[in-house]
Structure formats: structure tokens, C-alpha cells
């Protein structure tokens, strides 16, 4: 059966908060792995928010069922959703449960017209009062995404009490800086494996910021439910195009054995 995954850039007015809009028919043929993102997902029978994950998740939809989504930039979803990202951690919450009657109305509209998803988010942002991001959270996300520095060193630069900042970070991102650093490191090693398919696991681990290969193995087991070799072999897709970047602001469903071979931008990503 033919399968597709495709992304389109967010409208310019949403680009600061929304990474992309996407559509998928991959179903649950491969796990969706943690990447720090939150999505609003429009399926044929429901509209729900997919919170930030700490482990693999499989879509409940069959191969070929069309699913649409909107992916927020890391740390930008809470103002739109009206709830702390930490409350959505490892959760799939119906929009009607999150927003009440307004969520139920939005669900009825989106199931019929998933193309209205961007307009819905734009309206929520207009009512949020401010579009200014939390600059301290943004800074720490950026530094931990790039790797090369310890969490403690990064937090030492933040002009706030550590306990206060950790609460703000979790409310925006969904989990604390240490957990986010693990997720970002896993994304880095997967990107490196795609770019350097002949590299050894030890070399990939060192380049991504793991202490050693055993550290990589533990995180793959905990976050992806897989051995490192199995996970990174499955990720040997073509390298991303220039400008895509290697940060965790995207997600990969991996490659199912019956998935249609499509370019990277159609393969990577997509809850649903």
C-alpha cells in the first residue's frame, strides 16, 4: 500500500510559533520517537493534542488512513493550548477535553476541513495577549539542542533561580532541561547516523555528546525502546536537505518495511 508523509511550512504569520503543517498516511507501521515537539492532530474520528513524549508511541490508525497535523516549535505550544506542556507529557488529549465546548466546535470543523487548522491556531494566538517567547527558555532550548555543554553549565547562565526556571521550562517544553537534553541528544545521534551511515556506534555516540557507547545504548533503550544498532540502522534514510538543521524540532517515524520510498522531507516526521 502506498504511504506518504509531507510537510508544508507554516504561514508567515505563524512561523515564529509553528514549525510546519503535515499530512500522513503512514499509520502505526513505525514508532514515533521523542523529539520535544507537541502537535495538534486531525484524524478522521477525533482531533487531539499529542504531548511531548518520553518514549516511543504508535499511531492507532491503519496504514493509508489520512491524518493531518500542525507541529509547534519547541516551547511554543502552551500559550495556544492554554495548558502547561508538562500536563500533556506522554498524553494524547482530545481538543474537546482541553477546551470544552470550543474544542468540540473546533473538532467538528476540523474533521470536515483539516485545512482550517492554521486559522484555528492563529485565532488562539491572537487571543493569547502576547506572542513574545520566554527568552530564557528559548536560549536553553537552543543551547541544549546544539549540544556540547552540560545542563548545569547552561542553567548557570540563566538570570533566575534554578527551581523557578525549571518550572518555567517544564511548563513551556513539557519536561525539565535534563530530560530535554536526553531527547535532543537522541535526535542528534539519529541525524548523524543518517549523514554518516558507515560510522561506528562509538563514533556516533561521541559526536552526539554521549559519554560512551553504553550511554547511547541506555538512552536508546529508554527513549526509543530499541537497541542503538537497530534504531540507527532503521534511520539510514537520505540526508536532510541543506537548511533543515539537525535539531530536535522534527520527528521521525522511522521506515517501515512496506513504506513507499520517498524523499527525506516526506519520510521524516508525522504523528498520526
Amino acid at each position: 500500500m502506498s504511504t506518504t508523509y509531507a510537510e508544508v511550512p507554516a504561514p508567515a504569520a505563524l512561523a515564529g510559533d509553528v514549525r510546519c503543517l503535515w499530512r500522513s498516511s503512514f499509520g502505526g507501521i513505525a514508532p514515533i520517537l521523542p523529539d520535544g515537539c507537541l502537535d495538534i492532530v486531525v484524524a478522521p474520528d477525533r482531533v487531539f493534542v499529542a504531548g511531548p513524549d518520553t518514549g516511543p508511541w504508535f499511531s492507532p490508525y491503519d496504514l493509508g488512513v489520512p491524518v493531518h497535523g500542525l507541529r509547534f516549535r519547541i516551547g511554543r505550544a502552551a500559550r495556544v493550548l492554554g495548558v502547561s506542556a508538562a500536563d500533556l507529557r506522554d498524553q494524547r488529549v482530545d481538543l474537546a477535553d482541553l477546551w470544552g465546548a470550543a474544542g468540540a466546535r473546533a473538532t467538528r470543523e476540523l474533521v470536515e476541513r483539516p485545512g482550517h487548522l492554521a486559522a484555528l491556531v492563529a485565532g488562539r494566538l491572537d487571543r493569547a495577549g502576547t506572542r513574545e517567547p520566554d527568552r530564557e527558555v528559548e536560549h536553553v532550548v537552543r543551547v541544549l539542542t546544539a549540544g556540547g555543554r552540560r545542563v548545569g553549565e547552561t542553567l548557570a547562565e540563566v538570570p533566575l533561580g534554578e527551581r523557578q526556571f525549571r518550572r518555567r521550562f517544564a511548563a513551556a517544553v513539557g519536561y525539565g532541561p535534563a530530560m530535554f537534553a536526553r531527547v535532543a541528544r537522541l535526535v542528534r545521534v539519529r541525524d548523524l547516523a543518517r549523514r554518516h551511515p558507515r560510522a561506528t556506534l562509538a563514533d556516533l555516540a561521541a559526536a552526539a555528546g554521549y559519554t560512551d557507547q553504553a550511554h547511547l545504548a541506555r538512552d536508546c533503550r529508554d527513549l526509543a525502546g530499541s537497541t542503538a544498532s537497530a534504531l540507527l540502522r532503521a534511520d539510514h534514510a537520505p540526508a536532510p536537505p541543506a537548511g533543515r538543521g539537525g535539531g530536535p524540532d522534527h520527528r521521525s517515524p522511522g521506515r517501515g518495511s512496506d513504506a513507499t520510498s520517498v524523499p527525506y522531507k516526506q519520510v521524516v516526521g508525522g504523528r498520526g
Side-chain angles (χ1 to χ4, degrees):
M1 177 178 291
S2 176
T3 56
T4 60
Y5 175 82
E7 294 180 357
V8 296
L14 297 180
D17 296 281
V18 176
R19 181 187 174 278
C20 70
L21 296 154
W22 55 264
R23 57 184 170 82
S24 172
S25 58
F26 269 97
I29 60 174
I32 306 299
L33 302 184
D35 65 357
C37 293
L38 285 87
D39 291 40
I40 298 178
V41 180
V42 181
D45 59 340
R46 63 186 288 217
V47 179
F48 62 95
V49 175
D53 291 324
T54 61
W57 180 72
F58 286 84
S59 167
Y61 295 98
D62 292 336
L63 187 70
V65 174
V67 179
H68 299 259
L70 177 147
R71 183 162 308 137
F72 291 98
R73 294 193 181 278
I74 293 172
R76 299 294 189 91
R79 285 175 299 148
V80 173
L81 300 176
V83 63
S84 165
D87 292 339
L88 300 169
R89 175 173 164 166
D90 294 322
Q91 302 290 318
R92 304 293 179 266
V93 181
D94 284 348
L95 212 57
D97 292 335
L98 204 60
W99 294 347
R105 287 194 299 273
T107 295
R108 289 192 293 271
E109 178 183 4
L110 290 172
V111 166
E112 294 294 325
R113 302 177 184 85
H116 287 199
L117 191 49
L120 171 75
V121 169
R124 299 283 299 192
L125 276 169
D126 288 342
R127 293 195 294 273
T130 176
R131 290 197 175 188
E132 288 298 318
D134 186 321
R135 297 195 181 282
E136 283 79 19
V137 169
E138 295 268 312
H139 171 72
V140 171
V141 165
R142 189 165 50 249
V143 171
L144 296 180
T145 296
R149 297 181 62 183
R150 295 180 181 276
V151 172
E153 295 171 347
T154 305
L155 296 187
E157 296 179 343
V158 177
L160 296 170
E162 184 171 327
R163 182 176 299 181
Q164 177 190 5
F165 178 73
R166 286 181 184 275
R167 283 198 298 269
R168 276 174 46 175
F169 191 94
V173 177
Y175 25 61
M179 184 67 204
F180 178 73
R182 293 181 69 196
V183 169
R185 197 160 46 220
L186 183 68
V187 173
R188 280 201 303 277
V189 78
R190 298 180 72 200
D191 287 342
L192 285 166
R194 292 186 183 102
R195 294 189 181 102
H196 306 286
R198 295 183 179 179
T200 66
L201 290 179
D203 288 342
L204 291 170
Y210 290 94
T211 305
D212 51 27
Q213 188 174 331
H215 185 194
L216 167 64
R218 289 194 298 275
D219 268 12
C220 286
R221 183 182 62 239
D222 293 348
L223 300 176
S226 172
T227 64
S229 58
L231 175 68
L232 300 181
R233 276 201 306 270
D235 278 349
H236 283 174
R244 173 152 186 126
D249 205 2
H250 66 278
R251 59 196 55 203
S252 171
R255 295 173 66 89
S257 58
D258 52 354
T260 299
S261 178
V262 292
Y264 181 87
K265 290 187 75 172
Q266 280 76 48
V267 173
V268 170
R271 278 170 161 156

